[in-house]
Amino acid sequence: MFTGLIETIGTVSEYIKHDTSSSGGSGVSITITDCSEILEDVHLGDSISTNGVCLTVTDFDAAKTFFKVGVAPETLRKSNLGSLEQGSKVNLERAVTSDVRLGGHVVQGHVDTIANIVYRKPDGNAITFTFELRDKEFINYIVHKGFIAIDGTSLTVTNVDDTKAQFSIMLISYSQEKVILSKKDVGDTVNIEVDLTGKLIEKQVELNLKSQIEKGDSALNNLIAALVEKKVKELIK
């Protein structure tokens, strides 16, 4: 689990599409440098959020100047990690520990989809960004003043357009030097993780409705029967 508060920005030093080494797992691997400050307590198997994606550390050097991760095919389908290359900058955050303050929101590191930047404009000392989702259905979980994780950064939604599957955020001055979003422009992509709360509520409502419908004498079925009976009597009258 993560907080969405980026600890540092790292640099991709190597991107291998088919890494046959023991730490590569015969798949895509990424090696990241310029991040020594988050590697002082690193262990093999640790989780590090990389542009919002929870990835597992498979290798690091004794001097702790770099770490390596593998990327699964599902991750490549859901995120934009496949577009990284040598020199790319990435947001990094270690998994939370019991003594970490939850300054952002609960971020799983499980990216739902990507979005394109369709609008960028300075607003005082802040920058307003508007994004359009690739997978439109996820707009259902994005609400005004709700949480959203963009490239792993916890941000607040300032506007939502359900019909266009677009939403906006405001990046304050302090954050502009701390995350990679400020370096991106219209047309660039970002990784999106919607707030888990909306998904959980939807699932519970769906299961409850299904249970109510299947149960003949449930409160929902009784209510529907009463409404139908009422309408039939009105029509007959």
Side-chain angles (χ1 to χ4, degrees), residues 105-120:
H105 73 283
V106 176
V107 178
Q108 293 183 289
H110 301 162
V111 168
D112 294 296
T113 186
I114 62 173
N116 287 288
I117 300 173
V118 295
Y119 179 83
R120 172 189 167 131

Side-chain angles (χ1 to χ4, degrees), residues 114-167:
I114 62 173
N116 287 288
I117 300 173
V118 295
Y119 179 83
R120 172 189 167 131
K121 183 179 180 181
D123 188 352
N125 65 347
I127 306 173
T128 293
F129 285 89
T130 299
F131 308 89
E132 184 171 319
L133 297 171
R134 178 189 65 187
D135 301 306
K136 313 298 184 185
E137 64 272 20
F138 288 102
I139 198 66
N140 297 333
Y141 309 109
I142 302 176
V143 297
H144 182 239
K145 297 303 179 183
F147 292 121
I148 190 87
I150 300 176
D151 283 336
T153 306
S154 176
L155 293 163
T156 302
V157 177
T158 58
N159 188 57
V160 181
D161 187 333
D162 296 309
T163 59
K164 295 181 179 179
Q166 294 181 356
F167 69 94

